[in-house]
Amino acid sequence: ATTALAFQEMEIEVSGLVMYPKMESVAIVNGVVYREGEAVTDELFLMEIFEDRLVFEYRGVLLTFDL
């Protein structure tokens, strides 16, 4: 629960997605382009990109960020 609360307090701004069918999609998070599996910070990793949400790993916990 503590990890989820800390995640909710993070300043995450998603300004765009580029979805490529059958290819690697990207998300623009806080003005930077990330692919699945890339580190956003030392503790925050973008794990999956969907049209309506992103899945991050934060402190070892998978958390959903709804768009």
Side-chain angles (χ1 to χ4, degrees):
T2 304
T3 300
L5 290 174
F7 176 75
Q8 289 177 348
E9 292 177 0
M10 296 182 78
E11 292 187 22
I12 298 173
E13 180 182 330
V14 179
S15 55
L17 301 176
V18 180
M19 305 296 295
Y20 295 112
K22 300 182 183 179
M23 293 180 63
E24 193 171 46
S25 299
V26 297
I28 304 169
V29 179
N30 297 341
V32 180
V33 176
Y34 294 98
R35 292 177 179 78
E36 292 178 342
E38 291 190 319
V40 178
T41 70
D42 289 342
E43 296 182 301
L44 183 68
F45 297 85
L46 177 59
M47 301 306 292
E48 294 183 273
I49 300 170
F50 299 95
E51 291 182 11
D52 62 343
R53 68 194 181 285
L54 301 177
V55 178
F56 290 95
E57 180 182 321
Y58 181 60
R59 298 181 180 168
V61 178
L62 292 178
L63 298 161
T64 300
F65 184 88
D66 293 320
L67 301 175

